[in-house]
Amino acid sequence: MPTVNGKLHDHRVILLVSLMFLFGFLLVATLRSSFVTLDLSVNAWAASIDNGSLTVVAEGIAIIFDTNGLVILSVVLAAAFSVKNRWRYGVLLIGAIGGIALIVALSKMLIMSPRPLNEVIPMSDYSFPSGHVAGNVVFFGILTYVAWKNWVSTRSRSLTGGLYIAMIVLVGFGRIYLNVHWFSDVVGGFLLGAFWLMFTLWVFHRMVTE
């Protein structure tokens, strides 16, 4: 029974980690007023480093890795997975991206947090949590999971893990730099995305191993 017990233990760990991220998100959402000073300071700092070239890059990242862009990329990758007879990964990716898009939309409607007034790109919806950050945490998290499941070398895993972290930092910085989000929005987006990523992987593990 060691293998079964090991899988059961892994399932519990993944679920526990996901619930910890959910608790963190709910905590930040509840205590958003405690972030006001920090949010204003980071917002002012972002405005102070305004640079034309950097703005173009940040806007490009915002367009490519927004929810619509991630959905399109997910569909393309799901088709590629199916061709390689790895359709389960495609279902995992599309389900994860669709789920986080819905959760972010509901969260914004429930919390109704206004965006910064000095935003570089006009935005009409609510601010908390950052959908870009949450979506990319899930999207690149699933891709990293798939890579780690199929690439066994330490070098490959280190490279994909480093790329994952770099992309999340880059997207999060871009949202703050463009002043379309407060710092707390980015933190909330990361925690919500991490929760959904781990929860989705927990469901996936239960379905493919039982």
Side-chain angles (χ1 to χ4, degrees), residues 26-47:
L26 294 175
L27 193 63
V28 172
T30 303
L31 301 177
R32 279 179 304 113
S33 59
S34 302
F35 286 85
V36 171
T37 301
L38 179 59
D39 282 341
L40 291 173
S41 297
V42 174
N43 179 272
W45 169 78

Side-chain angles (χ1 to χ4, degrees), residues 10 36 147 185 193:
D10 290 343
V36 171
D185 299 338

Side-chain angles (χ1 to χ4, degrees), residues 1-11 209:
M1 294 289 288
T3 302
V4 175
N5 289 336
K7 290 179 179 178
L8 181 60
H9 174 73
D10 290 343
H11 291 163
T209 61

